[in-house]
Amino acid sequence: MMRTRPLKVALLGCGVVGSEVARIMTTHADDLAARIGAPVELAGVAVRRPSKVREGIDPALITTDATALVERGDIDVVIEVIGGIEPARTLITTAFANGAGVVSANKALLAEDGSALHAAAEKHGRDLYYEAAVAGAIPLVRPLRESLAGDKVNRVLGIVNGTTNFILDKMDTSGAGYSEALDEATALGYAEADPTADVEGFDAAAKAAILAGIAFHTRVRIGEVHREGITEVTAADIASARRMGCTVKLLAICERAADGRSVTARVHPAMIPLSHPLASVREAYNAVFVEAEAAGQLMFYGPGAGGSPTASAVLGDLVAVCRNIIGATTGPGESAYTRLPVSPMGDVVTRYHISLDVADKPGVLAQVATVFAEQGVSIDTVRQQSRYSGGGDEGATEQGGGRRAGGDGEASLVVVTHRAHDAALSGTVEALRKLDTVRGVASIMRVEGE
């Protein structure tokens, strides 16, 4: 039977995502009511600029007093899409205290203070849902914390930022440089006027913290996630990846240690083989590869940002929270029983692709190889290309032998390592910098997904 009293919803924020949430709630009201078992009513919309025209929203619902809206006492669900730490955190905890469940898309807040929010929700017997905080429309949070709740997840590897994926894809397919690709992303609306959160990896790091916490049933904060952005990725890096049969992606990687006693979470650009499913993820799309003990390998793919995709995830959570209210129950809360420590980046086992500018003379390869041996790092392949100052021929060889000039030329030396601890690999790079014959470390990039 349909419950006649509507469930009242407060919407905090009415930008790209919030306005789409309001539109869907209005145009799909009958379908939502049928799925929930009760009508849902938009009871108020908190905004910063009340004078802005918002098509399809009753002006009488608009308010600038978000606190008064969540304190009303008759609100059943609060949808928070304003972002940031404050006032979002205070508004969410106030909503719990006043009897409302919460649906949030706030990845930064959840990555920073998710445990405290879960504790507040549990204290007041309310729901906290946040599917939209990680990968837009892609169902990922719920499969991890519900569908795979009986399994053991060992690794989560994914592309979780559409802006950076678009930029790297354009660099790969068109040969554009980083700045040129960023300009195109901005013109198409994929990048913000200030793209720092995306291109420096902050957005992906917040998502990695959330994913690691859910996947490994432990608490991971954004400050524990190793983070590197894509601003240093060059066209030469893309070309080197292509020669290796790889492409470059900004990856969020969350792993359980082999002994099960710790976890790691990291975000950085990496070369991945073209044969890996993530290599085919193009433009602004997202994809996450999950490796579980019983389920095996699973891949989740789709649009990871934008008004409509994110609103889809928000409305899915709204339906779940409303159903729980009608059933006088709550959904799954935080599962952090393992309390596993988060290991530093140095403990991660990975491979390096290192590009060096070296003097083009006899003995250089031997010196470089000695440094690797002293650090306990094994070399997989070496490629050397000579660049003569006099403009002569160039030569290149694989597996260690470079063509050498008798003059004052330079050579580009590319080394790909076998797997080793990141601490040993980074130590090797620092030792290489000290060699007189090494004139510069042109680039360093990890190799993943093999």
Side-chain angles (χ1 to χ4, degrees):
M1 292 179 61
M2 177 75 70
R3 168 175 152 167
T4 57
R5 185 182 78 79
L7 293 165
K8 294 189 176 183
V9 178
L11 178 61
L12 308 183
C14 198
V16 173
V17 175
S19 59
E20 187 66 9
V21 168
R23 185 192 69 79
I24 295 174
M25 284 186 65
T26 301
T27 58
H28 294 190
D30 291 342
D31 286 340
L32 289 172
R35 294 166 193 169
I36 292 168
V40 287
E41 173 188 314
L42 189 59
V45 181
V47 300
R48 291 193 181 96
R49 295 181 305 219
S51 60
K52 181 180 178 181
V53 176
R54 294 173 172 84
E55 187 176 347
I57 299 177
D58 183 352
L61 298 177
I62 302 296
T63 179
T64 58
D65 194 343
T67 300
L69 179 59
V70 299
E71 286 180 340
R72 273 176 40 173
D74 65 336
I75 299 298
D76 296 291
V77 184
V78 170
I79 297 175
E80 182 272 308
V81 288
I82 58 177
I85 305 301
E86 288 291 357
R89 174 167 47 199
T90 299
L91 290 170
I92 289 173
T93 55
T94 301
F96 292 142
N98 283 271
V102 172
V103 173
S104 176
N106 196 332
K107 52 189 167 285
L109 177 57
L110 288 158
E112 177 64 32
D113 217 14
S115 293
L117 295 180
H118 275 291
E122 184 177 356
K123 175 183 176 181
H124 297 285
R126 301 301 164 190
D127 274 321
L128 173 61
Y129 276 59
Y130 44 90
E131 185 69 69
V134 175
I138 304 172
L140 187 58
V141 171
R142 197 166 298 158
L144 280 174
R145 73 176 186 176
E146 296 183 34
S147 302
L148 295 174
D151 206 340
K152 181 181 180 182
V153 176
N154 291 316
R155 194 169 194 237
V156 179
L157 180 150
I159 298 164
V160 294
N161 182 272
T163 301
T164 53
N165 199 58
F166 179 89
I167 292 170
L168 293 173
D169 182 51
K170 286 301 172 185
M171 291 176 70
D172 186 32
T173 56
S174 70
Y178 168 77
S179 296
E180 184 182 351
L182 174 59
D183 288 343
E184 184 175 353
T186 303
L188 292 172
Y190 292 129
E192 302 286 345
D194 179 2
T196 302
D198 293 321
V199 299
E200 294 291 357
F202 290 101
D203 174 85
K207 295 171 180 177
I210 295 170
L211 289 173
I214 298 170
F216 307 133
H217 304 280
T218 193
R219 291 175 178 171
V220 180
R221 299 184 68 177
I222 189 170
E224 297 173 302
V225 179
H226 175 84
R227 175 192 56 79
E228 298 173 29
I230 66 166
T231 56
E232 301 301 318
V233 177
T234 66
D237 293 327
I238 302 292
S240 288
R242 194 178 298 114
R243 282 194 291 269
M244 289 175 58
C246 294
T247 189
V248 177
K249 299 292 185 182
L250 182 73
L251 298 179
I253 306 174
C254 310
E255 294 176 301
R256 189 191 301 269
D259 62 7
R261 295 179 180 178
S262 64
V263 300
T264 57
R266 51 192 166 113
V267 167
H268 54 73
M271 297 179 180
I272 59 172
L274 294 175
S275 58
H276 194 282
L278 292 178
S280 62
V281 179
R282 303 289 303 279
E283 298 197 335
Y285 277 77
N286 285 190
V288 177
F289 205 71
V290 177
E291 298 175 12
E293 204 164 82
Q297 298 178 329
L298 308 169
M299 183 169 164
F300 301 83
Y301 170 85
S308 294
T310 306
S312 172
V314 169
L315 268 296
D317 280 350
L318 175 65
V319 169
V321 173
C322 287
R323 285 172 174 171
N324 289 343
I325 291 171
I326 292 174
T329 187
T330 57
E334 182 185 35
S335 174
Y337 69 91
T338 62
R339 302 188 183 279
L340 296 173
V342 181
S343 295
M345 185 64 191
D347 289 351
V348 169
V349 176
T350 184
R351 299 175 67 202
Y352 269 25
H353 173 284
I354 307 168
S355 179
L356 304 170
D357 293 328
V358 300
D360 192 7
K361 63 182 183 180
V364 173
L365 283 174
Q367 290 181 359
V368 169
T370 297
V371 169
F372 277 88
E374 290 173 346
Q375 297 291 326
V377 175
S378 175
I379 294 175
D380 183 16
T381 62
V382 177
R383 183 177 188 275
Q384 179 174 322
Q385 180 169 292
S386 300
R387 297 197 300 270
Y388 297 109
S389 59
D393 294 336
E394 294 185 348
T397 63
E398 299 288 341
Q399 298 290 350
R403 178 175 178 176
R404 300 180 177 91
D408 59 351
E410 273 192 4
S412 175
L413 188 65
V414 175
V415 180
V416 181
T417 73
H418 286 293
R419 288 171 63 81
H421 284 98
D422 198 85
L425 291 164
S426 61
T428 302
V429 172
E430 291 309 306
L432 289 170
R433 293 183 195 274
K434 296 175 182 177
L435 290 179
D436 292 339
T437 52
V438 174
R439 297 176 178 175
V441 178
S443 72
I444 307 162
M445 192 169 293
R446 295 174 184 87
V447 182
E448 299 286 344
E450 297 173 302

